Amino acid sequence: MTPLLDVADLAVHFPVFRGPLRRKAGTVRAVDGVSLQVFRGETLALVGESGCGKSTLARAVLRLQEPSAGQLRFEGQDLLRLDRRAMKAARRRMRMVFQDPHASLNPRLRAGEIVGEAFDIHGCTRRERDAGVAELLTLVGLGPEHAARFPHEFSGGQRQRIGIARALALHPSLVVCDEPVSALDVSVQAQIVNLLMELQERLGLSYLFISHDLHLVEFIADRVAVMYLGRIVETAPIQSLYAAPLHPYTQALLAASPSIDPDRRHQHVVPDGEVPSPLSPPSGCAFHPRCPFAIANCRAEMPPLLTLAPGHDVRCWRAGEWAAAPQRAAIPVGS
Amino acid sequence: MLSTLASAADPTPMAAPKPLIEVQDLKVHFFTRDGVVRAVDGVDYGVNPGETLGIVGESGSGKTVSSLAMLRLVPPPARTVGGRILFEGEDLLTRTPKQMAALRGRRIAMIFQNPATSLNPIYSIGAQLSEILVWHEKASRRQAEERVAELLNLVGITDPLTRLRQFPHELSGGMKQRVGIARALLCNPALVLADEPTTALDVTIQAQILELLADLQARFHMSMVLVTHDMGVVARMANRITVMYAGRVCETADAATIFSAPQHPYTRALLESMPRIDQSYSRGARQKLPTIAGRPPNLLNPPAGCRFHDRCPEAIADCRRILPVETAIAPGHTVSCIRRGSPGIAA
Ligand SMILES: Nc1ncnc2c1ncn2[C@@H]1O[C@H](COP(=O)(O)OP(=O)(O)OP(=O)(O)O)[C@@H](O)[C@H]1O
Ligand SMILES: Nc1ncnc2c1ncn2[C@@H]1O[C@H](COP(=O)(O)OP(=O)(O)O)[C@@H](O)[C@H]1O
Ligand code: SF4
Ligand code: SF4
Ligand SMILES: [Mg+2]
Ligand SMILES: [Mg+2]
């Protein structure tokens, strides 16, 4: 099966300037050689801590941020070869939902104009637009009567519904959701997550779902890609990732994420150290300064992404050892 | 390299100890141009010596405002319009501003959500922390600096003597929050108020800071109020939990009871709407998360009766009319819901 979205060796580098003369002080490798695929109808979750490059990757996939290197194929097309007009047409089929529903909606436009923007850009008639807007608002659990209201007249959850309606205009096949519920209240998060899953079933959508919340991801995703400092360190189907995470960073993330599960409330393993600066990433495996299993080789050489089980790729020199002994106590507690 | 965090969630012993601080029928209202916002409207809770009380609730439920009231720091146009705050037997609401200033930062200290804005960017870490000791304890500069260095070391900042000379922008987010914790502990406070102390931090750093807080709290036998919207965080940290909704308390109980046998319909709904790893959603059957329909009420014009009634799955006609009053249903377990036997005030 060919993937709907195929990202290969994608890199996004930002020059960093310092001081009064704005001298170039270095390069942030925000995304550094990322490969991933999203298949039709599936949800691929991208998880990692803030600053690891998730949003930059999302923007690069839509070419809202020009990649520095790599390949991007979407619906069989080589996106990086498209000119502006062709890229605009391709963006009808790949849309984005943003984290902050307050900041991502233009406060001066009415909900109907926000949702209808795509119809205008792509030259639909007024009637097509109005009918489309009414249908979309209903689809996301609002009503046509909401079209005349301004964003400030809606709650956070309702605003995120408008953001989703906007993304669904003109039948996209891929929706990139960048932390779509992180800014919302817990009870409202559940409403939006349910909506996204329902829409996926009805419309056959594929999601690239960005999140830092592993509990949420287990609920919504089919596969997970874990990112650390600009690189994918583990990709796996959801069952394997939660049952037998192979990368030490994934294990640390799982151990660190606060849980209300009675069995998991009582013991916690906390990784040491700070998240390093992407301006000067550590040598070798970028996780080595915080990794309890690091060996000499980890400092010297970056491990390759190796496939250790069907669909389960890991970037760790020692992952083969864990994979061979899956019953190993997850992490030696208190070592 | 790795360390374990023993649970802080063991239930408190049954013999009710005398609370260190007790908030009684607290009311804090905002007097805005549009009218009176009843942000905190008759709230009761208490913190026992050496325990952590977690206050949870959705955005706008009054968690921050009620904890600021304990320090008499509610921002205008808010005013504390009713209630008592008994701290070590005395009502803080009757203290003079001078008495409060002597208390703040010394007996009761605060850790803020955003470590970046809670430190002063124009002073070095050493200068702003020793200032507090000079002011409260009349310490000399040298004594103050020594104590600051000792505390920085205690909160896990390596090479404290160098850090003393650095400015906030030179530290990472996690490091700044460690400094914020050191600052709160400078004068050995009896009570620490921590308002979303880890919300601005990354997951792995959040876990480190929570571990540090639990460790220090046990070591110095401090009491702590931990305000958060994250049930996972209170599950890890709190002995007892108070659940707030729309300016009122729904339920207070020890942590184990809140998670295993919640009584208030809002507490139940809140817990159910959170994805949990023990329910294997991912094994094919993608079921829906239970949700609470609707959204929290506008406190400018709160609904009559129980404030949760228009979202409550168990609401009956009386709920629109009667404001439930918190009542004990078991030792240490109070609930405010007329369907759980709470008395009420008719509208
Ligand atoms: N300056 C203000 N003017 C009017 N109302 C205010 C003001 N500040 C806060 N409020 C109201 O007071 C109520 C309680 O606010 P508070 O900050 O205590 O909530 P919270 O529970 O801490 O929420 P969060 O989880 O978002 O921090 C809210 O309804 C809020 O809208
Ligand atoms: N325009 C930019 N210029 C320089 N650095 C940037 C820019 N955008 C992002 N970065 C850096 O790239 C890294 C990844 O950022 P981002 O993709 O936003 O992370 P995430 O979404 O995972 O939190 C961060 O270190 C960030 O500071
Ligand atoms: S390669 Fe080495 S340092 Fe990196 S995660 Fe694996 S064991 Fe740890
Ligand atoms: S008093 Fe009524 S509306 Fe309020 S929580 Fe109880 S049952 Fe629900
Ligand atoms: Mg981001
Ligand atoms: Mg708050």
Side-chain angles (χ1 to χ4, degrees), chain A residues 47-327:
Chain A
V47 301
E49 294 180 276
S50 88
C52 74
K54 306 181 296 294
S55 299
T56 306
L57 176 61
R59 294 169 50 78
V61 163
L62 274 82
R63 277 183 75 191
L64 298 172
Q65 166 70 53
E66 217 43 64
S68 318
Q71 282 101 52
L72 272 178
R73 293 189 78 82
F74 173 68
E75 295 188 325
Q77 264 183 319
D78 184 347
L79 290 185
L80 294 182
R81 297 198 155 193
L82 301 182
D83 61 17
R84 279 178 65 119
R85 272 191 52 202
M87 191 56 220
K88 212 169 98 180
R91 280 201 206 106
R92 280 177 67 150
R93 311 274 304 143
M94 50 196 319
R95 307 298 300 276
M96 189 143 173
V97 175
F98 297 90
Q99 166 164 0
D100 187 347
H102 303 257
S104 62
L105 304 180
N106 183 337
R108 282 185 292 277
L109 295 183
R110 294 170 195 278
E113 294 168 302
I114 292 170
V115 174
E117 223 166 21
F119 296 91
D120 295 339
I121 294 174
H122 296 287
C124 302
T125 67
R126 182 79 204 263
R127 274 197 42 212
E128 283 171 330
R129 188 189 99 166
D130 289 349
V133 167
E135 189 189 329
L136 286 165
L137 287 175
T138 313
L139 192 66
V140 298
L142 297 170
E145 72 277 10
H146 288 111
R149 294 205 206 152
F150 290 97
H152 74 263
E153 298 176 66
F154 292 97
S155 69
Q158 286 175 317
R159 263 178 274 201
Q160 199 54 296
R161 287 175 194 267
I162 295 171
I164 293 170
R166 169 174 65 185
L168 295 182
L170 302 170
H171 307 290
S173 55
L174 176 70
V175 181
V176 177
C177 308
D178 189 0
E179 310 240 15
V181 300
S182 306
L184 304 176
D185 259 322
V186 201
S187 73
V188 180
Q189 284 190 4
Q191 294 169 5
I192 298 295
V193 165
N194 285 345
L195 174 68
L196 285 171
M197 288 173 54
E198 205 179 287
L199 291 169
Q200 178 169 52
E201 253 158 57
R202 277 170 69 175
L203 309 174
L205 299 170
S206 303
Y207 291 139
L208 177 59
F209 188 94
I210 297 175
S211 179
H212 63 268
D213 181 344
L214 280 163
H215 300 284
L216 187 68
V217 160
E218 187 186 28
F219 184 74
I220 195 169
D222 300 296
R223 290 188 305 123
V224 184
V226 181
M227 201 166 171
Y228 190 74
L229 234 54
R231 292 181 177 273
I232 303 288
V233 297
E234 182 160 12
T235 309
I238 199 123
Q239 289 89 336
S240 348
L241 191 95
Y242 287 82
L246 291 180
H247 198 283
Y249 176 63
T250 311
Q251 296 168 350
L253 263 188
L254 277 169
S257 68
S259 167
I260 59 171
D261 304 339
D263 300 343
R264 297 182 16 112
R265 286 207 289 134
H266 293 267
Q267 204 154 60
H268 300 284
V269 182
V270 180
D272 273 347
E274 303 277 334
V275 181
S277 156
L279 195 57
S280 51
S283 63
C285 169
F287 191 55
H288 86 249
R290 309 177 74 195
C291 181
F293 309 112
I295 48 176
N297 196 26
C298 303
R299 265 165 226 109
E301 241 185 302
M302 171 154 57
L305 198 62
L306 290 180
T307 302
L308 294 181
H312 198 155
D313 301 343
V314 190
R315 188 186 288 282
C316 167
W317 287 120
R318 302 191 57 189
E321 302 169 34
W322 333 142
Q327 293 317 320

Side-chain angles (χ1 to χ4, degrees), chain B residues 196-266:
Chain B
E196 308 268 10
T198 59
T199 308
L201 305 174
D202 273 322
V203 203
T204 54
I205 307 301
Q206 168 174 327
Q208 293 171 2
I209 297 292
L210 292 177
E211 177 186 35
L212 172 68
L213 277 175
D215 176 48
L216 294 172
Q217 196 237 2
R219 187 132 41 122
F220 298 110
H221 200 68
M222 293 181 302
S223 301
M224 184 156 74
V225 173
L226 180 70
V227 171
T228 173
H229 64 276
D230 190 330
M231 280 289 193
V233 170
V234 279
R236 182 175 286 195
M237 301 287 290
N239 304 95
R240 286 190 312 120
I241 296 173
T242 288
V243 181
M244 286 189 71
Y245 184 77
R248 295 191 49 93
V249 171
C250 299
E251 181 164 12
T252 298
D254 62 78
T257 306
I258 291 285
F259 287 102
S260 61
Q263 290 304 312
H264 195 282
Y266 176 67

